[in-house]
Amino acid sequence: MTRIFLVGFMACGKTTLGKNLAKSLGLSFVDLDMYIEGRYYKSVSDIFSELGEEKFREIERRILHEVSEFEDVVISTGGGTPCFFDNMEYMNTMGETIYLNTNTERIAERIKAAGDKRPLVRGKKDDELKIYIEEMKKKRESFYKKAKHTLDSTFLEDYSQIRETVSKAIEILSL
Ligand code: S3P
């Protein structure tokens, strides 16, 4: 039975890598945010604005426990998932965990390219966004680093880069 969790900052490539890794290994793929959105019939943004972050974190934890029962699956988590409750320790007991590490410049580019969909960075100007990413990364890194493996996910901009990063993931997992 294989269960792989991908963790890391917003826009570090968890969903892109997760889908492709799952496909290469013949596993199912679950994106935690999308799963929550399907369950609540609301976007993560709307959950944040209507119920608040604290409630979102409770929902996120509960749904994390639900999807962690699935077998033969790659699960991409939200950027904050490992940083609340005992979520990171829990994921480590439930399967393999990979921290996708990406530099601030690349994260900022991807966040901008994705538009306004992320509630925590909505409306931030370029400089402000980079400072925010740097500060948040410092706070969150100690949680991400508890993952069993770390993988550089700076290069996921075209299919050959994605394929290469998928191969590295398979190698570090010894699969
Ligand atoms: C969050 C990251 C988002 C989403 C929510 C909160 C965070 O997921 O879970 O907006 O706290 O960093 P992505 O990492 O997929 O952007």
Side-chain angles (χ1 to χ4, degrees):
M1 195 277 291
T2 309
R3 186 182 296 119
I4 302 161
F5 297 91
L6 301 180
V7 303
F9 206 78
M10 283 176 230
C12 69
K14 300 179 293 282
T15 304
T16 303
L17 186 76
K19 275 184 191 162
N20 286 281
L21 180 61
K23 203 167 161 191
S24 291
L25 294 172
L27 303 174
S28 308
F29 172 70
V30 173
D31 179 284
L32 191 62
D33 279 337
M34 287 181 202
Y35 199 89
I36 292 170
E37 291 180 338
R39 179 61 63 83
Y40 281 77
Y41 297 105
K42 272 183 204 303
S43 66
V44 166
S45 251
D46 285 346
I47 298 176
F48 261 75
S49 58
E50 290 171 24
L51 305 174
E53 179 170 356
E54 207 178 315
K55 185 74 191 158
F56 172 76
R57 297 302 173 190
E58 284 169 22
I59 292 170
E60 184 181 48
R61 175 175 185 268
R62 188 159 41 75
I63 302 293
L64 174 67
H65 281 241
E66 184 175 323
V67 302
S68 297
E69 296 295 326
F70 299 164
E71 299 193 340
D72 298 319
V73 68
V74 177
I75 299 167
S76 76
T77 61
T81 314
C83 316
F84 292 84
F85 311 105
D86 61 348
N87 291 347
M88 193 63 233
E89 287 76 13
Y90 176 72
M91 289 187 270
N92 276 333
T93 63
M94 295 303 284
E96 292 299 325
T97 49
I98 309 180
Y99 166 32
L100 302 185
N101 195 4
T102 311
N103 66 44
T104 298
E105 285 293 324
R106 190 50 63 87
I107 289 173
E109 279 168 22
R110 290 185 191 152
I111 287 176
K112 277 190 280 169
D116 231 13
K117 71 175 181 121
R118 290 184 166 93
L120 293 175
V121 288
R122 179 163 300 138
K124 293 203 189 306
K125 303 206 172 63
D126 288 9
D127 285 356
E128 215 187 332
L129 178 63
K130 281 185 196 156
I131 293 167
Y132 178 83
I133 294 169
E134 286 290 342
E135 284 174 358
M136 279 292 255
K137 269 184 91 181
K138 270 187 215 145
K139 283 190 198 151
R140 290 180 163 187
E141 208 134 53
S142 63
F143 294 96
Y144 298 149
K145 283 185 171 165
K146 290 182 193 165
K148 294 177 188 173
H149 311 277
T150 298
L151 180 65
D152 183 359
S153 61
T154 309
F155 303 105
L156 289 174
E157 311 318 300
D158 60 40
Y159 192 61
S160 79
Q161 291 183 358
I162 294 171
R163 235 180 18 217
E164 205 166 306
T165 311
V166 165
S167 300
K168 285 183 189 153
I170 293 173
E171 205 179 300
I172 61 169
L173 291 166
S174 313
L175 290 172

